[in-house]
Amino acid sequence: MIRILCEVAQAAYIALTVSIASTWEYVWHGPRLPKWDLKFQLTRDIMHSLILAATPQYKDDRDIDKINVYAIAESLQNKPIPAPKLSPGEGSYHIFSVPAQQASVNEATFKNVGIHQDRFQQLCRDDLQGAERQIGCEMVVAAETARQLKHMLGAKSDLLACRPLYPEEKVLVYIHGGGFIVGNAASCRQLVCRLSREAGVRVLVVDYRLAPQNPFPAPLYDVYIAYLYLLQQGFMPERIVVAGDSAGGNLSLALVHLAQMTKAPKPGGLVLLSPLSDAANDLPSCQRNRNYDILAKQPVESPLAYTRLYYAPGQRFSEQMRHEMADLLVSPVNGDFAMFPPTLIQCGTHEVLIDDIIKLHAAIQAQSPETAVLEQYQDMLHVFHVHFYRPESIQAVAGIGRSHFRGIMWRVPMAARLRLRVVAGLCIWMVLLAVLGFTRLLQLPLSDKAQHFVGFGVMSVLVLFSFQAAVPRRRVWTLTAAGMGGACVFSEVLQRLLTTRPFEWGDIAANVLGAATFLFAGWMADRWIVQPRAGSAGRAQYWSLGNAEPGSRLSADFEMTSELDLELDDILVDSP
């Protein structure tokens, strides 16, 4: 009791002194960053100071023998974390458990996971041979989403049951952050409820085991088991989006890599909020933004670094450890991103992980172009989404719902899109042949020009529809115009082939010229209308409907200043 009172008194003293100093700085010198108001600056300074006071700071392993990392982590885990209750007007939630033994996995499942194979197989043996273990989960649904689902499915629908409510239901899996050592499903309940409301879907939150008591790969293993449980319940993998903030973003990325290595279906998309993707290196922004960000990140050489507590708690750091931590399941940025699911990344321009995030986005874009979208919000910090009153938070959460659940981010993968185009093209030609053949079979009194008009009209509509659904939006008008121009030329040639009249090269040349005109007009529309509109100030919501330049680095009104633009060569640091 006395210890608790002392901790409360210390926290109150820190909050009071920091509040006075921060308020004086704000009044005398102005906001630390242009978009900060007094409330935001006070919140950042108080939380940052409390984190520093609760965690001793070390630069290296010089005193590692004197440090009890488990006691320090336990003291952090025992500190009260707000677990907000949702009012009936906000939403509802249901806490349940997933039996770890229920997943269809065994030691052979993890035979191809690389250098960490033994660790995964040991966890699997513990679950199969030991006592029954439960993985905590929480199903959350916003009140507005619940009303929409009940209107569609009936009032008796069990919205909190972990099974599909209807075929092809979309669902969001959320993995909370907390540096791998703190946090739970309840701590992110408000944010998850807002995501459910904006996306119009139910959200499953995974309460994975925490380090250092359960080091790598235990948290990732729990997330993997929960994901397989969803598949067993009947959810389709392409209708599942996995989201996570900070350390949860790391686990979200690693889950996709692990699914690929174990031959499990990959999820249909990712949403990463300020993700940690490189556990083995500290990039320049860790120092550059340490006076702005709320996150107090210690260097990887420190025994209390979050990534060290996650991977090898209490062990001395070495280059061999760095090499192991560079593995794709610990540092997902080093993984294979070919055929990667559509990914939305959101972060602030002044967080310590910004270089890490830019490096991740570049790695995805290098192997899967037009798959990842990166949004940076001006002057914002690590996981700024939890500051619900901020317009940046409101816009970012709304953008997640539009992009991944109501926009182009749910499109099929690249190979499937290619097959879709081929099938759509064959269908278009068959429809055109049927229209022309039908008019001649019935001997309708249609002139050649009328037949040409009918065929061209059908072709144009179908080409426009298929291209709008299957191609990147930044080139949609160019490709649509190319299809319409090709239809014009093809229908002219087809008419000559279906009739006995000789070819009139003048008409064909005129159609080719018309096709070129179509193509030029489409290219101009893409270049001067679609792309500038996607990136211009004041058009924040346009990209989220699928019309922005894939890989956009900024979100509309929150544009990054020129001095923060970093050269890629300064960020892409090779891991040993």
Side-chain angles (χ1 to χ4, degrees):
M1 184 66 180
I2 297 177
R3 181 179 60 84
I4 296 177
L5 291 176
C6 291
E7 290 182 354
V8 171
Q10 181 188 22
Y13 173 77
I14 292 174
L16 178 61
T17 55
V18 171
S19 298
I20 295 174
S22 184
T23 303
W24 174 258
E25 178 190 351
Y26 188 91
V27 173
W28 187 256
H29 299 287
R32 198 168 302 151
L33 290 174
K35 288 187 176 290
W36 286 16
D37 54 24
L38 178 58
K39 179 180 178 180
F40 193 72
Q41 183 163 313
L42 281 174
T43 302
R44 181 268 166 194
D45 289 348
I46 292 174
M47 293 303 299
H48 184 75
S49 299
L50 290 175
I51 293 174
L52 290 177
T55 310
Q57 303 295 303
Y58 297 94
K59 294 183 178 181
D60 50 42
D61 288 340
R62 194 174 310 168
D63 299 323
I64 190 172
D65 295 331
K66 304 176 183 178
I67 302 172
N68 188 340
V69 296
Y70 297 96
I72 294 174
E74 187 176 353
S75 67
L76 293 174
Q77 294 164 358
N78 290 335
K79 292 184 182 301
I81 299 177
K85 300 287 185 180
L86 298 179
S87 67
E90 293 177 314
S92 55
Y93 62 92
H94 171 60
I95 302 173
F96 64 101
S97 298
V98 172
Q101 292 85 348
Q102 186 170 335
S104 301
V105 297
N106 51 45
E107 294 183 42
T109 305
F110 303 102
K111 64 181 180 180
N112 295 319
V113 296
I115 62 176
H116 304 299
Q117 172 181 330
D118 293 341
R119 294 193 181 197
F120 278 98
Q121 291 180 338
Q122 181 60 49
L123 289 174
C124 188
R125 283 194 297 270
D126 292 343
D127 279 344
L128 294 177
Q129 300 173 7
E132 182 176 348
R133 187 176 66 87
Q134 303 287 328
I135 300 174
C137 293
E138 188 169 302
M139 184 67 77
V140 181
V141 58
E144 182 178 340
T145 300
R147 285 193 295 269
Q148 295 172 355
L149 291 173
K150 288 186 176 181
H151 177 74
M152 180 174 63
L153 302 174
K156 296 183 179 181
S157 301
D158 189 358
L159 300 182
L160 297 177
C162 188
R163 60 177 180 270
L165 300 176
Y166 55 91
E168 299 187 355
E169 181 191 4
K170 301 173 185 177
V171 67
L172 176 67
V173 177
Y174 195 86
I175 307 172
H176 69 81
F180 305 104
I181 61 174
V182 296
N184 51 44
S187 63
C188 60
R189 192 174 289 153
Q190 286 281 0
L191 175 59
V192 166
C193 185
R194 291 168 185 261
L195 289 173
S196 173
R197 182 187 64 198
E198 295 296 337
V201 299
R202 299 187 296 161
V203 184
L204 175 71
V205 188
V206 182
D207 214 350
Y208 55 87
R209 288 175 287 180
L210 299 176
Q213 295 88 345
N214 300 282
F216 173 87
L220 176 58
Y221 181 83
D222 287 356
V223 171
Y224 180 72
I225 296 299
Y227 174 69
L228 293 183
Y229 179 78
L230 276 183
L231 298 180
Q232 291 176 348
Q233 296 302 109
F235 289 96
M236 301 174 63
E238 63 271 17
R239 311 300 283 180
I240 298 174
V241 166
V242 179
D245 65 271
S246 192
N250 177 288
L251 295 173
S252 302
L253 287 162
L255 172 64
V256 178
H257 291 322
L258 182 59
Q260 184 171 355
M261 299 167 79
T262 57
K263 309 301 181 183
K266 290 186 288 188
L270 291 179
V271 175
L272 307 175
L273 314 181
S274 302
L276 168 65
S277 64
D278 190 347
N281 298 285
D282 296 310
L283 299 183
S285 59
C286 291
Q287 291 296 321
R288 188 175 66 247
N289 290 333
R290 62 178 180 174
N291 292 327
Y292 300 107
D293 200 3
I294 197 171
L295 183 64
K297 187 176 185 297
Q298 299 196 40
V300 69
E301 293 81 9
S302 169
L304 293 184
Y306 299 136
T307 52
R308 290 268 301 278
L309 293 175
Y310 172 51
Y311 183 76
Q315 298 183 24
R316 287 189 176 274
F317 187 72
S318 64
E319 289 304 313
Q320 176 61 29
M321 183 186 292
R322 187 192 295 271
H323 173 73
E324 294 176 3
M325 293 174 65
D327 182 75
L328 74 166
L329 295 180
V330 187
S331 297
V333 69
N334 299 320
D336 179 13
F337 294 101
M339 300 298 297
F340 205 67
T343 303
L344 172 63
I345 309 172
Q346 293 181 339
C347 64
T349 60
H350 282 75
E351 62 174 279
V352 295
L353 296 179
I354 183 64
D355 289 358
D356 186 1
I357 294 168
I358 295 176
K359 178 182 176 181
L360 169 66
H361 176 250
I364 299 176
Q365 288 290 84
Q367 299 183 49
S368 295
E370 302 178 3
T371 293
V373 174
L374 172 59
E375 267 204 330
Q376 298 181 38
Y377 286 75
Q378 180 66 29
D379 296 346
M380 290 296 103
L381 312 179
H382 188 67
V383 195
F384 63 91
H385 307 73
V386 298
H387 301 278
F388 302 125
Y389 77 98
R390 293 287 306 186
E392 295 87 351
S393 172
I394 296 172
Q395 182 187 0
V397 173
I400 293 171
R402 288 192 299 269
S403 64
H404 263 283
F405 296 90
R406 295 167 182 165
I408 199 171
M409 297 299 283
W410 274 98
R411 64 191 181 195
V412 293
M414 187 74 69
R417 292 211 309 269
L418 181 59
R419 291 193 296 269
L420 174 64
R421 296 173 198 176
V422 172
V423 173
L426 292 175
C427 292
I428 289 171
W429 303 130
M430 292 175 63
V431 170
L432 179 59
L433 288 172
V435 170
L436 294 177
F438 186 72
T439 57
R440 294 188 62 80
L441 180 66
L442 296 182
Q443 296 182 349
L444 297 178
L446 293 176
S447 64
D448 291 343
K449 293 296 183 183
Q451 293 184 35
H452 186 98
F453 176 79
V454 172
F456 176 67
V458 173
M459 174 68 78
S460 300
V461 172
L462 292 178
V463 167
L464 178 64
F465 176 78
S466 63
F467 277 137
Q468 285 275 3
V471 305
R473 293 295 181 93
R474 64 173 178 175
R475 304 190 188 99
V476 66
W477 290 112
T478 302
L479 296 174
T480 300
M484 294 172 67
C488 182
V489 176
F490 181 80
S491 57
E492 179 69 29
V493 174
L494 188 62
Q495 285 190 75
R496 295 297 184 262
L497 294 176
L498 293 177
T499 61
T500 58
R501 294 181 303 171
F503 279 91
E504 297 179 6
W505 297 106
D507 289 346
I508 295 179
N511 281 277
V512 171
L513 181 61
T517 304
F518 271 121
L519 184 61
F520 178 75
W523 177 79
M524 292 290 289
D526 280 334
R527 183 171 181 83
W528 299 106
I529 299 177
V530 174
Q531 294 185 24
R533 185 178 180 185
S536 61
R539 307 299 180 103
Q541 300 174 357
Y542 193 75
W543 79 268
S544 59
L545 300 177
N547 293 289
E549 180 84 15
S552 296
R553 295 180 60 188
L554 295 177
S555 172
D557 301 323
F558 313 108
E559 296 186 347
M560 184 165 54
T561 55
S562 58
E563 69 255 25
L564 293 176
D565 283 326
L566 302 174
E567 294 294 335
L568 206 56
D569 294 338
D570 296 333
I571 298 169
L572 297 179
V573 179
D574 294 332
S575 300

